[in-house]
Amino acid sequence: MAAISSVLSAPAPKHDKLKALGILALNGMFDEMDAEAVLRQAVDELLPGDIAMVSSFGADSAVLLHLVSLVDKNLPVYFLETGKHFVETLDYVETLKQRLGLTNVIALYPDSADLARFDPDGTLWETDPDSCCHIRKTEPLEDVLSGYGGWVTGRKRFQTAERGVLPHFELTSDDRIKVNPLAYFTNEDVEAYKARHDLPEHPLYGEGYKSIGCAPCTSAVAEGEDPRAGRWRGRDKRECGIHFDFNGSIAKPVSQSSLHLFKDGAFKADPWKAWAEGDEPADVRYTHVPVSVFVEHRAAFLASPHPIGLQVNPGEKVEDIEGDLARFSSVAINFRAFTDGRGYSSARLLRERFGYEGELRAVGDVLTDQIPFMRRCGIDAFVVTNKATREALEKDALAEVPLYYQPIGERHEVPAGTRPFLRRPE
Ligand code: SF4
């Protein structure tokens, strides 16, 4: 310990001191230290006046905020006021401020021009959560944190597999330090700490909300479930973007070109994935399950509370699951080859005979020439990987179909092959 003190008390500027120490050495020195000592070293010794904290004021935020109150009640604590929080969370901010005597809690708001431009109706969280987190969390925070040499986070190793190797100190690519005093805390440690210091619970904790973020993206978890399973449930998303990059810069939202689902006139984020070998029927969610797999495990799928979809492969019969169609919020018809027309028949059966009203999407060999015909059969979403098709959809330049050989639905259509003057669609 004497050696550590002498290194830390060397009269070097704070950033140089950190660089001289090196992040590995830093972690080695403080590996055995408890959370309060790690925080105290960061705030008092390594980055005095140059470090801030970000808190979600969520289910276990009280522990780190209590540690902050022991070390420096005036440490800047930033709270991302996304405009999407539970009312209970906003109440909890005030409760903890009063109870812990925190004097420097600062709310950060998203840029109003960004909200007006990218999320005018407040539903971006549903269609593109990465971008929603970006404008509500990452950008406001980036502006503020660029003014600090380091920041304190409440992340813990046990929370997700991605965080399993989390150290006490991380160096970002722009030479800033992330300090994780609770990295080694287990769930039991958190509970014991809260009980020892009689810390108030988040009002929703007792209702099964074990990890709490914005209201639309947070759900309660079942007994024994991963505490973070209720965050972005059913989505392929685990972090809000702020903590995503382990060593480097703050993560950016997904690019438009990486989106393949075309629906309602635009490419958007797709929460659905395809069934994979080894998937468990009782556990999958937002997964398109092939008809044959659904039939084989029908009881398990019907008992599952999770949203599931259906995938209809060439040769599979939608008639086989007619009575269970209400179970699926999305049906994917697999056009394995553009020459195979069986998908059109499946789509028409679903829409016209069975009255299916959920999302009906085309996957597989989805090409520009086929899309107008797919639409005629009731398909309203398209997973597109073909470059030319993508460009045609983006430019709204799909070819018109002036003649139909097969009438559909209840529209009055005269098929080609009859007299020419009768062939025009209505
Ligand atoms: S957690 Fe949900 S509502 Fe909050 S910023 Fe992210 S996507 Fe938007």
XYZ file of all heavy atoms in Angstrom, residues 82-85 119 122 124-126 128-137 213-218 231-232 235 237 239-240, ligand 1:
255
model
N -35.020 11.088 -20.189
C -35.376 10.729 -21.563
C -36.801 11.126 -21.925
O -37.181 11.093 -23.090
C -35.257 9.205 -21.759
O -36.170 8.569 -20.855
C -33.844 8.714 -21.490
N -37.591 11.466 -20.912
C -39.008 11.739 -21.170
C -39.819 10.457 -21.261
O -41.016 10.494 -21.567
N -39.169 9.319 -21.014
C -39.862 8.023 -21.131
C -39.832 7.254 -19.814
O -40.083 6.059 -19.801
C -39.185 7.175 -22.225
C -39.280 7.763 -23.632
C -40.676 7.594 -24.177
C -40.803 8.127 -25.584
N -42.194 8.142 -26.040
N -39.466 7.926 -18.719
C -39.337 7.207 -17.452
C -40.695 6.928 -16.804
O -41.680 7.632 -17.049
C -38.494 8.020 -16.467
C -37.033 7.996 -16.789
N -36.276 6.858 -16.713
C -36.192 8.972 -17.209
C -35.040 7.129 -17.065
N -34.958 8.400 -17.390
N -38.203 11.707 -33.930
C -39.200 10.981 -33.140
C -40.412 11.858 -32.855
O -40.804 12.059 -31.706
C -38.551 10.520 -31.814
C -39.411 9.492 -31.092
O -40.325 8.923 -31.739
O -39.171 9.254 -29.901
N -43.057 10.101 -30.844
C -42.643 9.414 -29.616
C -42.649 7.906 -29.688
O -42.669 7.236 -28.660
N -40.292 6.067 -31.558
C -39.026 5.563 -32.102
C -38.516 4.348 -31.317
O -37.878 3.461 -31.862
C -37.979 6.688 -32.081
C -36.678 6.426 -32.840
C -36.935 6.207 -34.320
C -35.701 7.583 -32.639
N -38.821 4.326 -29.999
C -38.377 3.192 -29.172
C -38.895 1.871 -29.740
O -38.273 0.828 -29.584
C -38.874 3.365 -27.730
C -40.374 3.360 -27.614
C -41.203 4.433 -27.699
C -41.218 2.216 -27.444
N -42.510 4.047 -27.582
C -42.558 2.689 -27.417
C -40.977 0.852 -27.293
C -43.643 1.837 -27.257
C -42.062 0.008 -27.137
C -43.364 0.490 -27.112
N -40.041 1.934 -30.425
C -40.686 0.719 -30.920
C -40.074 0.278 -32.245
O -39.835 -0.901 -32.483
C -42.168 1.029 -31.108
C -43.050 -0.178 -31.164
C -44.520 0.220 -31.194
O -44.814 1.430 -31.324
O -45.353 -0.677 -31.094
N -37.130 1.644 -33.741
C -35.676 1.717 -33.857
C -35.083 2.108 -32.495
O -34.659 3.249 -32.288
C -35.323 2.769 -34.932
C -33.842 2.766 -35.257
O -33.076 2.072 -34.556
O -33.457 3.467 -36.206
N -35.072 1.152 -31.541
C -34.639 1.498 -30.186
C -33.192 1.978 -30.113
O -32.862 2.796 -29.260
C -34.842 0.193 -29.397
C -35.006 -0.883 -30.407
C -35.525 -0.255 -31.658
N -32.334 1.496 -31.010
C -30.931 1.959 -30.959
C -30.864 3.458 -31.219
O -30.137 4.194 -30.543
C -30.079 1.209 -31.985
C -29.775 -0.206 -31.533
O -29.704 -0.437 -30.316
O -29.612 -1.086 -32.394
N -31.612 3.920 -32.196
C -31.592 5.349 -32.488
C -32.282 6.139 -31.379
O -31.882 7.256 -31.048
C -32.279 5.633 -33.830
O -31.504 5.081 -34.865
N -33.338 5.555 -30.806
C -34.036 6.213 -29.698
C -33.070 6.425 -28.533
O -32.971 7.520 -27.976
C -35.232 5.362 -29.274
S -36.264 6.122 -28.005
N -32.329 5.367 -28.172
C -31.335 5.493 -27.101
C -30.254 6.498 -27.495
O -29.742 7.228 -26.645
C -30.674 4.145 -26.813
S -31.654 3.040 -25.773
N -29.933 6.537 -28.754
C -28.859 7.442 -29.187
C -29.253 8.902 -28.962
O -28.480 9.668 -28.394
C -28.546 7.198 -30.663
C -27.354 7.966 -31.134
N -26.073 7.584 -30.835
C -27.258 9.104 -31.848
C -25.226 8.462 -31.360
N -25.926 9.388 -31.984
N -30.451 9.270 -29.397
C -30.797 10.693 -29.252
C -31.210 11.036 -27.813
O -31.040 12.163 -27.391
C -31.891 11.152 -30.254
C -33.198 10.402 -30.055
C -31.409 11.031 -31.669
C -34.317 10.951 -30.935
N -31.698 10.053 -27.063
C -32.152 10.360 -25.701
C -31.070 10.166 -24.649
O -31.157 10.727 -23.563
C -33.356 9.490 -25.338
C -34.622 9.893 -26.049
C -35.840 9.206 -25.476
N -37.040 9.929 -25.800
C -37.671 9.842 -26.972
N -37.209 9.029 -27.900
N -38.749 10.564 -27.211
N -30.091 9.309 -24.953
C -29.085 9.018 -23.925
C -27.665 9.346 -24.398
O -26.952 10.132 -23.774
C -29.155 7.536 -23.532
C -30.454 7.143 -22.879
C -30.456 5.655 -22.577
C -31.686 5.238 -21.801
N -31.709 3.783 -21.546
N -35.318 0.777 -16.578
C -34.931 1.844 -17.490
C -36.184 2.591 -17.897
O -37.099 2.787 -17.094
N -36.264 2.992 -19.170
C -37.445 3.708 -19.642
C -38.672 2.783 -19.608
O -38.561 1.567 -19.835
C -37.233 4.185 -21.064
S -35.926 5.396 -21.225
N -39.834 3.385 -19.376
C -41.052 2.595 -19.207
C -41.383 1.703 -20.417
O -41.711 0.529 -20.242
C -42.226 3.516 -18.883
N -41.290 2.225 -21.671
C -41.711 1.351 -22.777
C -40.779 0.157 -22.981
O -41.171 -0.815 -23.608
C -41.647 2.262 -24.017
C -41.438 3.635 -23.524
C -40.888 3.556 -22.152
N -39.571 0.233 -22.463
C -38.572 -0.812 -22.736
C -38.258 -1.630 -21.496
O -37.218 -2.298 -21.424
C -37.293 -0.180 -23.280
S -37.578 0.798 -24.750
N -39.099 -1.561 -20.493
C -38.838 -2.291 -19.247
C -40.066 -3.105 -18.870
O -41.184 -2.589 -18.899
C -38.529 -1.305 -18.092
O -37.460 -0.467 -18.470
C -38.161 -2.041 -16.825
N -35.401 -5.864 -19.747
C -35.000 -4.686 -20.522
C -35.018 -5.046 -21.999
O -34.385 -6.016 -22.413
C -33.589 -4.233 -20.114
C -33.443 -3.942 -18.633
C -34.142 -2.666 -18.207
N -33.521 -1.487 -18.781
C -32.460 -0.877 -18.267
N -31.918 -1.352 -17.165
N -31.962 0.199 -18.835
N -35.713 -4.282 -22.798
C -35.860 -4.513 -24.239
C -36.245 -5.984 -24.479
O -35.706 -6.647 -25.362
C -34.580 -4.166 -24.999
C -34.168 -2.748 -24.816
C -34.729 -1.651 -25.400
C -33.099 -2.252 -23.996
N -34.086 -0.526 -24.983
C -33.082 -0.847 -24.125
C -32.165 -2.875 -23.155
C -32.171 -0.060 -23.456
C -31.256 -2.080 -22.481
C -31.263 -0.694 -22.637
N -36.124 -8.167 -27.760
C -35.301 -7.477 -28.743
C -33.874 -7.987 -28.646
O -33.429 -8.402 -27.581
C -35.267 -5.962 -28.486
C -36.624 -5.300 -28.501
C -37.028 -5.085 -29.926
N -38.317 -4.465 -30.037
C -38.509 -3.280 -30.608
N -37.503 -2.613 -31.108
N -39.711 -2.785 -30.717
N -31.203 -6.652 -28.051
C -30.579 -5.431 -27.522
C -30.359 -5.647 -26.038
O -31.263 -6.060 -25.327
C -31.504 -4.238 -27.779
C -30.964 -2.893 -27.340
C -31.902 -1.797 -27.849
C -31.602 -0.441 -27.223
N -30.306 0.107 -27.593
N -27.861 -3.421 -24.205
C -27.330 -2.214 -23.584
C -27.910 -1.004 -24.305
O -28.324 -1.092 -25.454
C -25.796 -2.179 -23.706
C -25.089 -3.395 -23.114
C -24.717 -3.208 -21.654
O -25.042 -2.145 -21.092
O -24.129 -4.132 -21.085
N -27.873 0.139 -23.621
C -28.476 1.323 -24.234
C -27.531 2.011 -25.199
O -27.918 2.951 -25.882
C -28.914 2.304 -23.168
S -27.566 2.887 -22.157
S -34.615 2.679 -23.290
Fe -36.293 2.648 -24.807
S -37.449 4.561 -24.560
Fe -35.486 4.760 -23.431
S -34.169 5.781 -24.861
Fe -33.800 3.596 -25.143
S -35.256 2.868 -26.731
Fe -35.865 4.943 -26.059
